[in-house]
Amino acid sequence: MGRIRILSDNVANKIAAGEVVERPASVVKEMLENSLDAGATDIRVETESGGRRLIRIVDNGCGMLRDDAMLAFERHATSKLASVDELEAIATLGFRGEALPSIASVSRLTLETRSLDETTGSRVEIAGGKMLASDEIPLAPGTTIAVRDLFFNVPARKKFLRSDQTELAHIASLVTHYSLAHPEKSFELTHGGKELLRVTPVATDRERVFQVFGAATLEDLVELEAKSIQDGRFRLTGFISRPQVQKSNRNSIFLFVNRRLIRDRLLLHAISAAYYNLIPPACYPFALLFVDCDPAEVDVNVHPSKTEVRFRQGSLVHDFVRDALRATLIEQRPVPSAPAPVGPTPQPGAHLPYSEFTQALENFRYDEARPVLPEHPPQQTPEYTLRPVAPPPPRFDFSQGTPISMENSAPSAPEPLRLRVPDTHGGFPSGVEMDAPQGMVSLGDLRVLGQIHDSFIIAAGRDGLWIIDQHVAHERILFEKVLAQQARGQVEQQRLLMPMVLPLTPAQQVEYDRIAEELEKAGFETEPFGHRTIAVKAAPSDLPLGDLERVIYDILEIAESELRRVSVSDLRRGIAASLACRAAIKINMRLEATKMDWLIRELARTECPMSCPHGRPVALRYTTREILRSFHRI
């Protein structure tokens, strides 16, 4: 007898479950997508124990006929595909027909559904892939799926699940994602009876962002105007954060292709490229992006969980997203505002910690912390009693007095006096902009007031009060100046009276040989000078000669550690950033009023005055409205 055999359906379903059902959030994802494909407008997700004990999803979609409810648990049974041609242009979220049988094979599943075409509904119970019951019951139109005891028959898989907090965080993140993708629908997520997310239908994506994340997050976002290429074949909308919003991970990046949740390296790289030199390399922005395109232009059948896609014109999509985001940031020039706006707080599910340790840190209250002292056994202390002292004799005798009636007496605690606001506290001068523009359009009209600690420039404008970091502002000016000179091939140089001889390590020598041509384009004139030694004969005119040696070594270090795999343009930006940082005005440096005024005017002429080449914010603005609110004038 041969060794090759055909696996039973039960074994095949469990193998498929290993690909499709990675954790409880995978079950929620498959069921949510089925609800959305069914046209549901109201979706409720209930969980217990991080989804291990229970996952219940209730929707008001089209439901299923009785025969379809039975057939749905067969492998590769689906209503979303009929031919191979349809596989080339998939418009639905699900299409394989593997989710239900795979989930049913590793859990105790109950399906209750009713189609509008039938007067009664159907109830199907399955445990470990075996059907236990199939009944006809009265139901409202829609579908309810309850998944209990996930991986009860696969202990090895159950052992690899993380803590309840971690699994719940993945579920909350998933439901939050899809609530953002479908603002016209209502979503509700509860865990153990506690509400984590509840959003009602709204008209725009902006309103849904406000519902989920609150006013503080929305204030830090820039809305993308709809951009398209190839006569609308590819379209991009969404929100991106200002450069001062810097996250430590990618959890705040929400990507959708045709409203499908994805994690695509191509788009993630395009976002990073758009923010290059605007935020630090190890930080990430907030991004909510919707890429809409012809279904034939994207292949979603490349990963079992359908979270990865492949664009047929990958380079075109990458450059389109990168250029659109970069152009929006340059056009809007968003400026950070100091006080946090007052408004609704974000939904609990939008920022759920991914571990119990993180949750413990958030729950810890420092005002309740006490030093830990060693405990001592209680000691016997002596008891003291006080002898009562006779009161002094009364000075007046009120025994014969007439009782006072309290019916019409004044209240014991008089109301505080309310003073009328005098005319001197009246309206604010006319011509002041209460609603400041989102960008830095008024930067060139600022009036310098002075400095703080010889490091920060204070300036006033019609839109409020500005604080500008003089070092990073000058750094941005020099950075763009160097790049412009390099593009024209007209870098201003200063020649050294005596060449500066610099020794190199073997690694630095290798990097020097690789980037010598770029150093020359940046304004350096260098040549080999013996074994592992170079001679520097000229340098950019803006660079202080005292920093020349340090800049050369910085550039070689950057080339060795960060720029080996990047493009030539990124290498030039890295060199320009090092030059700008060393040549810029330093902090703790007193500036004349004319110098500060020049600095602000030049900053206003730059393309990206929001941040320095390393990603630090340049300016901070207190708008007039925020100032008036702080002084209780509005």
Side-chain angles (χ1 to χ4, degrees), residues 19 31 47 52 71 82 264 303 367 468 537 590 599 614:
E19 298 176 342
M31 299 298 99
T47 61
R52 304 165 188 260
L71 192 61
D264 186 68
H303 192 272
D367 57 349
I468 300 171
K537 297 183 176 181
R590 185 177 296 276
L599 196 65
H614 303 97

Side-chain angles (χ1 to χ4, degrees), residues 99-332:
L100 271 179
S102 299
I103 295 170
S105 67
V106 292
S107 67
R108 308 182 198 275
L109 186 146
T110 302
L111 168 67
E112 296 178 351
T113 183
R114 179 198 150 193
S115 170
L116 289 172
D117 297 331
E118 293 183 332
T119 57
T120 58
S122 303
R123 176 187 176 93
V124 179
E125 292 186 33
I126 297 179
K130 298 180 179 179
M131 184 170 295
L132 304 181
S134 176
D135 303 314
E136 184 176 353
I137 60 174
L139 281 177
T143 302
T144 299
I145 296 182
V147 177
R148 292 180 172 85
D149 302 328
L150 186 63
F151 298 134
F152 79 98
N153 57 347
V154 191
R157 293 294 307 278
K158 191 172 184 178
K159 181 178 65 175
F160 284 98
L161 291 180
R162 311 300 289 270
S163 66
D164 288 355
Q165 181 68 44
T166 301
E167 299 301 340
L168 177 60
H170 285 281
I171 294 173
S173 174
L174 183 77
V175 179
T176 300
H177 273 72
Y178 274 113
S179 71
L180 292 169
H182 299 275
E184 75 283 358
K185 305 177 186 293
S186 65
F187 290 82
E188 180 183 343
L189 170 65
T190 59
H191 181 261
K194 179 182 178 182
E195 183 179 292
L196 298 180
L197 178 75
R198 179 193 289 271
V199 290
T200 55
V202 290
T204 63
D205 292 327
R206 184 178 187 84
E207 293 175 275
R208 179 51 56 90
V209 172
F210 178 81
Q211 284 182 326
V212 175
F213 297 109
T217 298
L218 186 60
E219 185 72 16
D220 288 331
L221 302 184
V222 176
E223 187 169 4
L224 290 171
E225 295 184 3
K227 299 182 182 296
S228 61
I229 55 174
Q230 292 190 349
D231 297 328
R233 199 173 184 84
F234 293 92
R235 187 172 180 269
L236 177 66
T237 57
F239 298 83
I240 54 176
S241 61
R242 303 177 183 185
Q244 75 270 13
V245 177
Q246 298 168 5
K247 306 290 185 177
S248 59
N249 52 51
R250 296 188 178 95
N251 292 340
S252 295
I253 297 179
F254 305 88
L255 300 178
F256 300 89
V257 173
N258 293 336
R259 301 287 163 163
R260 176 193 299 277
L261 167 64
I262 65 164
R263 280 289 178 188
D264 186 68
R265 294 182 181 179
L266 184 80
L267 295 182
L268 289 173
H269 185 272
I271 295 173
S272 298
Y275 278 88
Y276 186 70
N277 285 132
L278 294 179
I279 62 175
C283 296
Y284 303 93
F286 177 104
L288 172 60
L289 299 181
F290 301 101
V291 178
D292 296 312
C293 63
D294 186 340
E297 289 292 335
V298 59
D299 185 6
V300 299
N301 190 26
V302 297
H303 192 272
S305 63
K306 305 185 291 292
T307 55
E308 296 181 11
V309 298
R310 183 181 295 116
F311 291 98
R312 305 194 189 281
Q313 304 181 66
S315 298
L316 175 70
V317 174
H318 174 277
D319 295 346
F320 168 53
V321 173
R322 179 200 61 197
D323 296 343
L325 300 190
R326 188 81 178 187
T328 298
L329 291 171
I330 292 175
E331 179 183 355
Q332 296 287 336

Side-chain angles (χ1 to χ4, degrees), residues 47 88 411 494 603 607 615:
T47 61
E88 300 297 322
Q494 54 179 336
L603 179 64
E607 278 191 345

